[in-house]
Amino acid sequence: MNSRAAFLLPLLLAACTPPAPPKAKIAMSITVGVSGQAESGPVKVNGQAKGNTPVELDALALPFDPALKPKSWPPPGAQAFSPTVAQHGKEESILHVALLGDIVYVRTLVHGVETTGALRITVAGADGASFEFDSAEKSLASGLGRAEHGVRLWYRRRR
C-alpha cells in the first residue's frame, strides 16, 4: 500500500498544479521605406538584395552581421530610439533599434531571451543614387497573448 501511495502522489500533485499560461505570440518587424513614398528603390541587408521599398523585415529572423556585434547597448555613437515594450503577465517583450550611418543595431527581448546584433542596410534610388536615413517611427499592437512590435525606418535622397 505504501509503494502504491508513493507512486500515485506525484501524479495527484501534477493533476492539481495549474498549467503554465501559454507563451505570448510575439512578432517584430523593421520596415524600410522612402520618406513621402516619393520613389521606390532597392534595399540591401548585409549586401543581399531584399526587394524594392517598402520592405518589411522580420526582426526575429534577421541574419545579423557577425563582424558588427555591439559590445554594449546602445553602441557608442549610435542614435538609439526609445524601445517598444509589451507586458505579457510577468514577462515583457522589447524591440530596440539604434542607428550609426548605414548600420542598424537591433536588440530584442522575447520570452526572457535577449538578442543583439547589427545589420548594414542600404537603400538606393532607381537611378542607383544612395539614400540616407531620414526618420523613424515605432508601433506596438498588444493584446491578450500577443504583441506586434514594429519600427519603420525612412530614407531620403542624400542632399
Side-chain angles (χ1 to χ4, degrees), residues 121-132:
I121 296 180
T122 56
V123 181
D127 60 359
S130 65
F131 283 31
E132 65 184 354

Side-chain angles (χ1 to χ4, degrees), residues 53-137:
T53 59
V55 172
E56 185 172 316
L57 306 169
D58 180 354
L60 298 176
L62 289 172
F64 293 130
D65 185 333
L68 299 174
K69 182 132 177 88
K71 293 179 175 45
S72 63
W73 192 266
Q79 176 185 5
F81 299 96
S82 60
T84 58
V85 180
Q87 198 68 37
H88 315 283
K90 295 179 182 179
E91 288 187 1
E92 63 183 8
S93 58
I94 298 171
L95 174 59
H96 200 174
V97 173
L99 279 91
L100 180 61
D102 62 352
I103 299 171
V104 178
Y105 294 97
V106 180
R107 180 179 151 255
T108 63
L109 178 64
V110 178
H111 302 302
V113 178
E114 183 177 324
T115 304
T116 58
L119 308 161
R120 189 171 304 275
I121 296 180
T122 56
V123 181
D127 60 359
S130 65
F131 283 31
E132 65 184 354
F133 172 74
D134 183 27
S135 61
E137 300 173 356

Side-chain angles (χ1 to χ4, degrees), residues 2-17:
N2 195 9
S3 65
R4 202 175 213 200
F7 174 74
L8 291 176
L9 183 61
L11 294 175
L12 182 61
L13 289 175
C16 295
T17 305

